[in-house]
Amino acid sequence: MKLKYYFIAIFFTLNFCLVFSQDNCNVFLMKGDSCRYKACKFLEESPDYFQLTQKYMEIKDKAIEMCPEYALVYKQKSTAFLKTGDFINWKTLIDKAVKLNPKENLNYRGWCRFQFFRDYKGAIQDIEELDRIVDYDIGYCQNGDYHLNIAKGLCYKMLGKKVKAIQIIKNQIEKDTTCQGLYDHLHLGVLFLETNDYEKAINEFKKQSKINEIAETYYYQALAFKKIKNQEKYSRDIKKAQELYLSKKYMIDIYTHHIDKIYLQDIQNEIEKNQD
Amino acid sequence: MIRNLQIICFSLLIQIFNSCNTTKNVSKEYPRMIGDIAFDEKIDSTEFKLCNNDSLVVQYYAFTKIVGGKTYLDEKYEVEKIFEKNYNHKIVKKESGNIRIRFLVNCKGVSGRYRIIGMDKNYKEKHFDTSITNQLLSITQRLVKWKPFIKNNIQRDYYQYLIFKIEKGELIEILP
């Protein structure tokens, strides 16, 4: 069961990497779009450089010279600034990509506003705008961890609208039971915990453990058991959280920290508090 | 024959001139890597030294990484606690937006060459009041538990950054 989710996660990661890195140039050829076709072919035939390098940027600039309306190139250029935390240059470039092709870039801008800059209102705006202009599923975020509706729910949570967040996340989980994110049930469980609905929280944590067993799930489950005064299960789960954390089984991302992530110190503080 | 030679020489000269021009323009626009921080004697401490050449500095993003372990001892938890304890919002101007401090960490875990940029809520460049930036910079400089980054058994210098979300002068979140 868990393997299935790992495969899904890997599939999405690879899929996004490929989609993001290069278009299929023949699509432009078939559409008679010689401008994008030439730029696309040029990029396809150019050597591959690390995204932050001068040479990478030079190649992208040449492609822009060939076809200034080619949105993908602005998006590709923007990534270097995103990864170095340069929000100003990132936004200028990604705005250009969105302006040229909103259907293919609003998802990325919305997700990055959330993941990298915790710009919750901006992320909601982009995700909702995408939903408005397309008649298909808005899809998943860049790293494949979430459906964009789950990310939108998390944004509402961070803006203090927890009931709305629960509704959005719950709807998304029920809508698509075949392809759930790595942390969907955890986030929903934490939201129930934060709104004092402990039984529902525990129920979600149980579902999360079946999909992807991480320290966070047991940490929050322990807190839920503490609230309903089940000391035995509280102690069991807080120890399990510590054990999983020490085995490096926790929420992780190469660029940022997830919402609801915990640290080893959080677990140790809880254990110490309980000993007092 | 002489005329042909003249044409070839003239073409070569134009090509050389063009290539010089292009290189000059491009290198003026982009550094070796986006976000590179070159030593600036006016603002940087001469005491901070990289262990290797500037061109060997690697990029690092979050504090936690799948391979290679965390970059800050006791993780982001401790960084947040240090700012929580030391940042005093009561004495600052009530401004809002994001502030990024990017810097280098050398192979011994010592940080230096700090650079600050700020943005308003519309991602437009913003120069925050020094009552905010000086505090953030000073606390960042006091983070002393950066871990050396080892790649292929070689200790490397690396880039790291912190983004501070500021709401009416208060520090709301630290990223990434």
Side-chain angles (χ1 to χ4, degrees):
Chain A
M1 187 69 175
K2 281 176 200 166
L3 267 179
K4 180 183 138 192
Y5 286 95
Y6 285 123
F7 282 127
I8 289 170
I10 291 166
F11 169 76
F12 273 111
T13 310
L14 289 175
N15 191 29
F16 276 111
C17 289
L18 291 171
V19 169
F20 187 64
S21 58
Q22 188 58 45
D23 278 328
N24 178 354
C25 305
N26 289 329
V27 171
F28 298 125
L29 188 66
M30 281 167 69
K31 285 181 183 171
D33 184 345
S34 61
C35 171
R36 286 182 183 79
Y37 176 71
K38 277 182 198 163
C40 182
K41 284 304 275 183
F42 167 74
L43 290 175
E44 197 177 84
E45 286 156 13
S46 299
D48 220 7
Y49 291 105
F50 177 48
Q51 283 169 324
L52 270 66
T53 59
Q54 182 188 16
K55 285 190 174 169
Y56 180 88
M57 289 292 163
E58 286 171 12
I59 288 169
K60 303 301 164 190
D61 282 346
K62 277 183 192 164
I64 288 172
E65 268 175 41
M66 293 166 95
C67 187
E69 308 302 305
Y70 191 15
L72 178 76
V73 194
Y74 298 97
K75 183 191 200 177
Q76 289 174 331
K77 276 188 76 177
S78 76
T79 311
F81 298 97
L82 179 77
K83 288 180 178 178
T84 53
D86 181 347
F87 26 66
I88 298 163
N89 283 306
W90 171 74
K91 187 67 168 31
T92 307
L93 286 160
I94 198 64
D95 280 357
K96 183 85 180 164
V98 169
K99 198 177 171 190
L100 290 167
N101 190 346
K103 286 185 181 178
E104 286 185 17
N105 293 298
L106 271 169
N107 56 349
Y108 179 66
R109 189 177 72 180
W111 166 250
C112 292
R113 285 170 102 162
F114 167 63
Q115 188 193 4
F116 285 82
F117 307 120
R118 293 285 193 259
D119 171 9
Y120 307 116
K121 285 182 185 166
I124 291 170
Q125 266 173 24
D126 280 350
I127 296 169
E128 289 183 345
E129 174 64 5
L130 179 66
D131 213 3
R132 196 183 62 77
I133 63 169
V134 300
D135 56 4
Y136 47 82
D137 188 278
I138 56 171
Y140 290 78
C141 64
Q142 192 68 25
N143 64 10
D145 282 356
Y146 304 110
H147 188 280
L148 283 171
N149 282 331
I150 303 284
K152 185 173 81 172
L154 291 173
C155 290
Y156 276 111
K157 166 186 161 138
M158 297 309 283
L159 291 170
K161 296 179 179 172
K162 292 185 182 176
V163 176
K164 188 163 185 166
I166 289 174
Q167 189 193 352
I168 293 168
I169 295 176
K170 214 166 155 254
N171 283 351
Q172 183 56 39
I173 291 175
E174 283 165 6
K175 201 165 125 187
D176 190 358
T177 51
T178 55
C179 196
Q180 284 167 16
L182 281 175
Y183 311 115
D184 294 359
H185 291 286
L186 170 75
H187 291 304
L188 186 55
V190 175
L191 274 161
F192 281 131
L193 177 65
E194 288 168 350
T195 49
N196 307 325
D197 205 338
Y198 308 120
E199 294 299 335
K200 279 187 184 169
I202 292 165
N203 193 30
E204 292 303 322
F205 296 138
K206 280 180 185 162
K207 288 179 190 169
Q208 176 65 42
S209 294
K210 284 181 190 163
I211 294 169
N212 180 23
E213 197 171 51
I214 46 171
E216 280 81 359
T217 315
Y218 288 91
Y219 173 79
Y220 290 111
Q221 189 166 268
L223 297 188
F225 279 124
K226 191 179 178 182
K227 287 282 183 186
I228 57 172
K229 303 198 186 309
N230 188 333
Q231 183 62 32
E232 194 187 329
K233 287 187 176 169
Y234 163 78
S235 302
R236 179 199 67 188
D237 285 346
I238 203 72
K239 274 179 203 155
K240 177 81 176 170
Q242 190 181 36
E243 193 185 301
L244 285 169
Y245 203 98
L246 292 170
S247 322
K248 296 191 189 328
K249 286 181 181 167
Y250 42 72
M251 296 176 103
I252 196 154
D253 183 86
I254 188 171
Y255 301 113
T256 56
H257 293 77
H258 289 87
I259 302 282
D260 296 331
K261 176 174 170 52
I262 55 150
Y263 302 96
L264 188 60
Q265 197 58 49
D266 290 310
I267 303 171
Q268 280 165 353
N269 290 348
E270 190 54 43
I271 291 171
E272 279 167 27
K273 223 190 289 174
N274 196 41
Q275 282 167 349
D276 290 341
Chain B
M1 182 68 180
I2 292 167
R3 186 173 167 72
N4 280 347
L5 266 174
Q6 279 177 330
I7 291 168
I8 291 166
C9 288
F10 183 67
S11 306
L12 274 172
L13 275 174
I14 286 178
Q15 277 185 18
I16 291 165
F17 176 75
N18 277 343
S19 69
C20 290
N21 238 3
T22 315
T23 315
K24 204 177 173 185
N25 284 340
V26 168
S27 42
K28 196 178 173 187
E29 195 176 348
Y30 299 115
R32 175 196 68 105
M33 292 257 189
I34 296 300
D36 265 359
I37 305 173
F39 173 71
D40 182 343
E41 59 180 16
K42 288 177 199 154
I43 49 174
D44 294 323
S45 160
T46 48
E47 282 173 29
F48 173 76
K49 304 270 183 219
L50 291 179
C51 303
N52 302 301
N53 190 294
D54 272 43
S55 64
L56 294 172
V57 179
V58 291
Q59 308 290 329
Y60 220 103
Y61 309 107
F63 303 91
T64 317
K65 203 183 173 191
I66 299 164
V67 183
K70 56 211 174 188
T71 59
Y72 200 81
L73 194 71
D74 299 331
E75 308 173 287
K76 190 180 170 185
Y77 177 93
E78 194 178 335
V79 174
E80 286 175 340
K81 292 290 165 203
I82 291 170
F83 277 93
E84 208 177 290
K85 196 176 162 192
N86 295 292
Y87 180 78
N88 185 357
H89 69 88
K90 288 176 188 161
I91 56 163
V92 305
K93 218 171 161 188
K94 309 297 173 205
E95 294 182 323
S96 302
N98 285 6
I99 295 168
R100 182 205 72 176
I101 301 183
R102 195 158 188 266
F103 50 91
L104 282 150
V105 180
N106 73 14
C107 73
K108 290 168 188 158
V110 178
S111 61
R113 296 193 203 169
Y114 307 89
R115 298 291 184 272
I116 300 180
I117 56 168
M119 69 166 218
D120 64 14
K121 289 196 165 181
N122 297 311
Y123 293 80
K124 299 289 173 211
E125 191 171 5
K126 176 180 169 69
H127 296 282
F128 280 81
D129 191 78
T130 50
S131 59
I132 297 173
T133 50
N134 284 352
Q135 273 202 74
L136 292 176
L137 181 61
S138 159
I139 302 166
T140 303
Q141 287 169 333
R142 279 182 271 152
L143 297 173
V144 291
K145 291 185 185 173
W146 295 106
K147 291 180 79 179
F149 178 65
I150 301 164
K151 196 177 178 185
N152 301 330
N153 290 325
I154 301 167
Q155 288 196 326
R156 306 282 294 266
D157 310 305
Y158 61 92
Y159 282 107
Q160 186 73 66
Y161 74 87
L162 297 171
I163 290 178
F164 306 94
K165 268 190 87 172
I166 307 290
E167 192 73 48
K168 291 177 185 162
E170 280 193 54
L171 178 53
I172 304 299
E173 280 188 82
I174 300 174
L175 310 170

